[in-house]
Amino acid sequence: MFRHGGSTSFKTESRLAEVWRDLQVVGQAATLAPEWYPIGGRAFLGLDPGPRLR
C-alpha cells in the first residue's frame, strides 16, 4: 500500500497511515486478550462462538 501511496503515506495526517495504525491496534488488542481465543477458535471451526464479551 505504501508503495502506491508514496512518501506522503507516512505522514501522521495521512488517511493511509491512520488506517494502518488502526489495523495494528486491532491486531494487538486481539493478541492481548486471551479470553477471546476460545471464541475465535469456535468461530474459525464453524461452531457457535457463544456469548459475546463485553
Side-chain angles (χ1 to χ4, degrees):
M1 291 188 317
F2 289 116
R3 180 184 300 172
H4 295 292
S7 61
T8 58
S9 302
F10 295 101
K11 291 185 178 180
T12 306
E13 61 274 1
S14 166
R15 178 70 177 135
L16 184 58
E18 179 184 353
V19 170
W20 180 253
R21 286 190 306 271
D22 291 347
L23 287 172
Q24 296 304 310
V25 169
V26 169
Q28 290 173 4
T31 59
L32 295 176
E35 61 271 12
W36 292 5
Y37 296 167
I39 295 171
R42 287 192 301 266
F44 182 72
L45 293 172
L47 303 172
D48 178 23
R52 292 180 176 228
L53 297 174
R54 292 182 183 210

